[in-house]
PDB file of all heavy atoms in Angstrom:
ATOM      1  N   PRO A 302      -1.606  11.851   8.160  1.00 67.00           N
ATOM      2  CA  PRO A 302      -2.918  12.479   8.162  1.00 67.00           C
ATOM      3  C   PRO A 302      -3.109  13.427   7.071  1.00 67.00           C
ATOM      4  O   PRO A 302      -2.137  13.857   6.368  1.00 67.00           O
ATOM      5  CB  PRO A 302      -2.924  13.198   9.557  1.00 67.00           C
ATOM      6  CG  PRO A 302      -1.471  13.515   9.760  1.00 67.00           C
ATOM      7  CD  PRO A 302      -0.722  12.407   9.137  1.00 67.00           C
ATOM      8  N   TYR A 312       4.666  15.626  -3.916  1.00 65.00           N
ATOM      9  CA  TYR A 312       5.998  15.940  -3.512  1.00 65.00           C
ATOM     10  C   TYR A 312       6.961  14.894  -4.092  1.00 65.00           C
ATOM     11  O   TYR A 312       8.100  15.259  -4.533  1.00 65.00           O
ATOM     12  CB  TYR A 312       6.052  15.843  -1.977  1.00 65.00           C
ATOM     13  CG  TYR A 312       5.333  16.953  -1.276  1.00 65.00           C
ATOM     14  CD1 TYR A 312       4.857  16.762  -0.072  1.00 65.00           C
ATOM     15  CD2 TYR A 312       5.130  18.165  -1.937  1.00 65.00           C
ATOM     16  CE1 TYR A 312       4.183  17.802   0.671  1.00 65.00           C
ATOM     17  CE2 TYR A 312       4.348  19.178  -1.327  1.00 65.00           C
ATOM     18  CZ  TYR A 312       3.893  18.966  -0.029  1.00 65.00           C
ATOM     19  OH  TYR A 312       3.219  19.967   0.609  1.00 65.00           O
ATOM     20  N   VAL A 384      -3.025  19.787  15.259  1.00 84.00           N
ATOM     21  CA  VAL A 384      -2.926  18.502  14.585  1.00 84.00           C
ATOM     22  C   VAL A 384      -2.748  17.358  15.608  1.00 84.00           C
ATOM     23  O   VAL A 384      -3.335  16.313  15.524  1.00 84.00           O
ATOM     24  CB  VAL A 384      -1.725  18.520  13.564  1.00 84.00           C
ATOM     25  CG1 VAL A 384      -1.605  17.168  12.929  1.00 84.00           C
ATOM     26  CG2 VAL A 384      -1.977  19.621  12.545  1.00 84.00           C
ATOM     27  N   GLU A 428      14.251  29.147   9.520  1.00 79.00           N
ATOM     28  CA  GLU A 428      14.499  27.910  10.279  1.00 79.00           C
ATOM     29  C   GLU A 428      15.500  28.186  11.331  1.00 79.00           C
ATOM     30  O   GLU A 428      15.441  27.624  12.459  1.00 79.00           O
ATOM     31  CB  GLU A 428      14.959  26.835   9.318  1.00 79.00           C
ATOM     32  CG  GLU A 428      15.081  25.479   9.983  1.00 79.00           C
ATOM     33  CD  GLU A 428      15.429  24.316   9.031  1.00 79.00           C
ATOM     34  OE1 GLU A 428      15.528  24.607   7.830  1.00 79.00           O
ATOM     35  OE2 GLU A 428      15.568  23.211   9.534  1.00 79.00           O
ATOM     36  N   LEU A 491     -14.211  12.707  37.156  1.00 82.00           N
ATOM     37  CA  LEU A 491     -14.199  13.140  35.767  1.00 82.00           C
ATOM     38  C   LEU A 491     -12.723  13.261  35.226  1.00 82.00           C
ATOM     39  O   LEU A 491     -12.499  13.081  34.104  1.00 82.00           O
ATOM     40  CB  LEU A 491     -14.914  14.458  35.584  1.00 82.00           C
ATOM     41  CG  LEU A 491     -16.334  14.535  36.100  1.00 82.00           C
ATOM     42  CD1 LEU A 491     -16.866  15.944  35.963  1.00 82.00           C
ATOM     43  CD2 LEU A 491     -17.216  13.543  35.345  1.00 82.00           C
ATOM     44  N   GLU A 639      -4.024  22.113  95.134  1.00 89.00           N
ATOM     45  CA  GLU A 639      -3.581  20.728  95.291  1.00 89.00           C
ATOM     46  C   GLU A 639      -3.228  20.043  94.016  1.00 89.00           C
ATOM     47  O   GLU A 639      -3.594  18.924  93.765  1.00 89.00           O
ATOM     48  CB  GLU A 639      -4.641  19.966  96.074  1.00 89.00           C
ATOM     49  CG  GLU A 639      -6.018  20.219  95.548  1.00 89.00           C
ATOM     50  CD  GLU A 639      -7.062  19.415  96.407  1.00 89.00           C
ATOM     51  OE1 GLU A 639      -6.717  18.302  96.902  1.00 89.00           O
ATOM     52  OE2 GLU A 639      -8.178  19.894  96.538  1.00 89.00           O
ATOM     53  N   ILE A 729     -16.962  -6.580  69.383  1.00 91.00           N
ATOM     54  CA  ILE A 729     -16.080  -5.605  68.666  1.00 91.00           C
ATOM     55  C   ILE A 729     -14.903  -6.348  68.048  1.00 91.00           C
ATOM     56  O   ILE A 729     -14.101  -6.973  68.758  1.00 91.00           O
ATOM     57  CB  ILE A 729     -15.572  -4.521  69.637  1.00 91.00           C
ATOM     58  CG1 ILE A 729     -16.817  -3.719  70.196  1.00 91.00           C
ATOM     59  CG2 ILE A 729     -14.652  -3.543  68.985  1.00 91.00           C
ATOM     60  CD1 ILE A 729     -16.395  -2.724  71.292  1.00 91.00           C
ATOM     61  N   GLY A 764     -31.987  -2.067  70.443  1.00 86.00           N
ATOM     62  CA  GLY A 764     -32.680  -3.358  70.313  1.00 86.00           C
ATOM     63  C   GLY A 764     -31.801  -4.371  70.924  1.00 86.00           C
ATOM     64  O   GLY A 764     -30.892  -4.202  71.695  1.00 86.00           O
ATOM     65  N   THR A 980       7.269 -54.235  65.035  1.00 71.00           N
ATOM     66  CA  THR A 980       8.183 -53.717  64.034  1.00 71.00           C
ATOM     67  C   THR A 980       7.984 -54.410  62.681  1.00 71.00           C
ATOM     68  O   THR A 980       8.097 -53.724  61.610  1.00 71.00           O
ATOM     69  CB  THR A 980       9.606 -53.972  64.520  1.00 71.00           C
ATOM     70  OG1 THR A 980       9.808 -53.402  65.817  1.00 71.00           O
ATOM     71  CG2 THR A 980      10.667 -53.416  63.562  1.00 71.00           C
ATOM     72  N   LEU A1030     -21.726  -7.733  16.113  1.00 83.00           N
ATOM     73  CA  LEU A1030     -23.006  -7.664  15.493  1.00 83.00           C
ATOM     74  C   LEU A1030     -23.770  -6.421  15.954  1.00 83.00           C
ATOM     75  O   LEU A1030     -24.352  -5.712  15.168  1.00 83.00           O
ATOM     76  CB  LEU A1030     -23.799  -8.947  15.829  1.00 83.00           C
ATOM     77  CG  LEU A1030     -25.200  -9.083  15.257  1.00 83.00           C
ATOM     78  CD1 LEU A1030     -25.126  -9.189  13.696  1.00 83.00           C
ATOM     79  CD2 LEU A1030     -25.926 -10.314  15.836  1.00 83.00           C
ATOM     80  N   PHE A1198     -24.483 -17.611  14.243  1.00 83.00           N
ATOM     81  CA  PHE A1198     -25.289 -18.872  14.288  1.00 83.00           C
ATOM     82  C   PHE A1198     -24.310 -20.039  14.129  1.00 83.00           C
ATOM     83  O   PHE A1198     -24.504 -21.032  14.804  1.00 83.00           O
ATOM     84  CB  PHE A1198     -26.377 -18.825  13.272  1.00 83.00           C
ATOM     85  CG  PHE A1198     -27.573 -18.068  13.637  1.00 83.00           C
ATOM     86  CD1 PHE A1198     -28.065 -17.080  12.839  1.00 83.00           C
ATOM     87  CD2 PHE A1198     -28.243 -18.361  14.785  1.00 83.00           C
ATOM     88  CE1 PHE A1198     -29.182 -16.336  13.202  1.00 83.00           C
ATOM     89  CE2 PHE A1198     -29.393 -17.682  15.174  1.00 83.00           C
ATOM     90  CZ  PHE A1198     -29.871 -16.693  14.397  1.00 83.00           C
TER      91      PHE A1198
END
Side-chain angles (χ1 to χ4, degrees):
Y312 294 153
V384 179
E428 185 175 1
L491 305 176
E639 45 182 328
I729 298 176
T980 304
L1030 182 66
F1198 279 125

